[in-house]
């Protein structure tokens, strides 16, 4: 089955710097790669996602890149702000038919220092 | 508000006790999922239900049972709780007709088994 590895487990940056979180996946059939942000005491919230037919997607300060050949994808946050501090999860899925199970990475705790 | 509702939010059990975690969604989604979240391990899929009347095992099903009561409700039961089941449990739902299946998470149930 699918396996997703996420690095680093913790990341500390200064406000205004960029942050990059990387994930690798094992199943070449995976076609959907979302990123979730989780704040303390809350459920995961989708922040950006990408399908396998696209190499890059950007939404304001966040972007995701996908390299299907190498089977890895990355989250890029520019001009970080203290409110970006949270746990971030990557996931991979095969969206087909009636359901698409999400397989998650281990999570990255991002701390943005003012 | 439309979304996924989980009850209870917090629960403490003694080893060997049983309990049922409840989940309901009002988005007319077909598929529902139960995940558990443990430190450093991300979210792991316990069971899922692709559609009303069907259930399937995920990555870590041992010690759990599920019931898809109707299209809206998907419950998770611990028959004989063990300390290893101390975790935060998240319910989610999705539908193939929504953009990227419209995955939506509940706010979680924090369970402690003593």
């Amino acid at each position: 089955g699918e396996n997703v590895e996420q690095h680093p487990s913790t990341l500390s940056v200064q406000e205004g710097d960029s942050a990059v979180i990387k994930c690798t996946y094992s199943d070449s059939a995976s076609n959907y790669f979302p990123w979730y942000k989780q704040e303390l005491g809350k459920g995961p919230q989708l922040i950006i996602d990408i399908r396998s037919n696209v190499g890059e997607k950007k939404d304001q300060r966040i972007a995701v890149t996908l390299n299907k050949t190498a089977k890895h994808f990355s989250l890029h946050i520019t001009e970080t702000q203290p409110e970006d501090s949270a746990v971030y999860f990557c996931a991979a899925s095969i969206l087909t038919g009636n359901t698409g199970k999400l397989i998650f990475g281990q999570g990255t705790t991002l701390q943005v220092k003012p | 508000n439309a979304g996924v509702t989980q009850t209870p939010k917090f629960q403490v059990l003694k080893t060997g006790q049983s309990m049922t975690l409840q989940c309901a969604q009002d988005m007319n989604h077909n598929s529902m999922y139960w995940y558990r979240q443990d430190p450093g391990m991300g979210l792991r899929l316990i069971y899922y239900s692709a559609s009303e009347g069907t259930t399937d095992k995920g990555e870590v099903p041992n010690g759990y049972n599920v019931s898809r009561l109707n299209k809206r409700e998907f419950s998770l039961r611990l028959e004989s709780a063990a300390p290893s089941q101390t975790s935060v449990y998240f319910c989610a739902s999705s539908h193939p007709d929504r953009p990227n299946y419209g995955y939506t998470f509940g706010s979680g149930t924090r369970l402690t088994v003593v």
Side-chain angles (χ1 to χ4, degrees), chain B residues 29-105:
Chain B
H29 281 179
N30 280 358
S31 303
M32 298 185 73
Y33 313 82
W34 277 106
Y35 290 86
R36 61 176 287 173
Q37 183 179 19
D38 303 293
M41 302 187 75
L43 284 82
R44 292 180 293 168
L45 183 63
I46 304 171
Y47 270 94
Y48 67 101
S49 170
S51 60
E52 186 178 355
T54 68
T55 60
D56 285 287
K57 295 178 180 179
E59 302 168 86
V60 288
N62 291 344
Y64 304 95
N65 286 301
V66 290
S67 295
R68 184 72 183 268
L69 305 171
N70 48 55
K71 190 171 186 178
R72 291 186 63 248
E73 298 172 290
F74 188 39
S75 63
L76 179 71
R77 183 160 178 84
L78 288 69
E79 291 291 351
S80 179
S84 61
Q85 294 178 305
T86 294
S87 189
V88 181
Y89 292 85
F90 288 99
C91 178
S93 67
S94 72
H95 195 292
D97 291 345
R98 308 293 191 270
N100 290 329
Y101 285 44
Y103 238 98
T104 304
F105 283 85

Side-chain angles (χ1 to χ4, degrees), chain A residues 23-53:
Chain A
C23 289
T24 60
Y25 62 99
S26 61
D27 192 340
S28 57
S30 291
N31 60 6
Y32 175 59
F33 307 93
W35 285 90
Y36 286 86
K37 177 182 181 181
Q38 186 180 31
E39 297 176 335
L40 200 60
K42 297 184 178 179
Q45 296 290 320
L46 179 70
I47 55 171
I48 196 167
D49 55 11
I50 193 168
R51 296 295 292 259
S52 58
N53 58 348

Side-chain angles (χ1 to χ4, degrees), chain B residues 3 23 94 113:
Chain B
C23 176
S94 72
V113 183

